[in-house]
Amino acid sequence: MKHLNISIRGKVQESFRLTAKAVADQVGVKGFVVNQKDGSVYIEAEGDDFALDSMMDFCQEGPEDATVEAVEVEEGELKGFSNFEVIKRVQSQA
């Protein structure tokens, strides 16, 4: 199990969060996704290598209506999320 902090920049605030949840649920990733005030999307994701690789593949492309310009990833400490949530409120900083 690993924990990733992922920032996605570009035109990513339309259906990105809901599609990220669908992908996470499908591959078994736990964590959350939230829009940021600067227009980016921030994801914290936990899972095994296969699940996180699948999530990263999604983050590089995004849903059809997204234009991903950059993806930044850092490994972090496990937090033990029990599911994957879409956080509705915009956060200024994660």
Side-chain angles (χ1 to χ4, degrees), residues 11-81:
K11 181 183 167 279
V12 292
Q13 287 200 353
E14 296 296 319
S15 64
F16 204 100
R17 291 177 305 152
L18 293 177
T19 310
K21 175 163 177 44
V23 170
D25 289 346
Q26 185 175 15
V27 299
V29 167
K30 311 295 186 202
F32 67 86
V33 58
V34 62
N35 285 343
Q36 301 288 287
K37 285 186 178 176
D38 66 2
S40 66
V41 169
Y42 177 72
I43 297 173
E44 288 196 21
E46 293 183 349
D48 61 26
D49 287 339
F50 172 79
L52 292 175
D53 286 348
S54 297
M55 192 70 185
M56 287 305 303
D57 287 346
F58 164 75
C59 290
Q60 298 290 337
E61 296 293 321
E64 279 187 22
D65 64 347
T67 304
V68 175
E69 294 173 2
V71 178
E72 297 172 13
V73 184
E74 292 180 354
E75 197 165 331
E77 281 189 47
L78 285 173
K79 296 185 179 177
F81 295 115

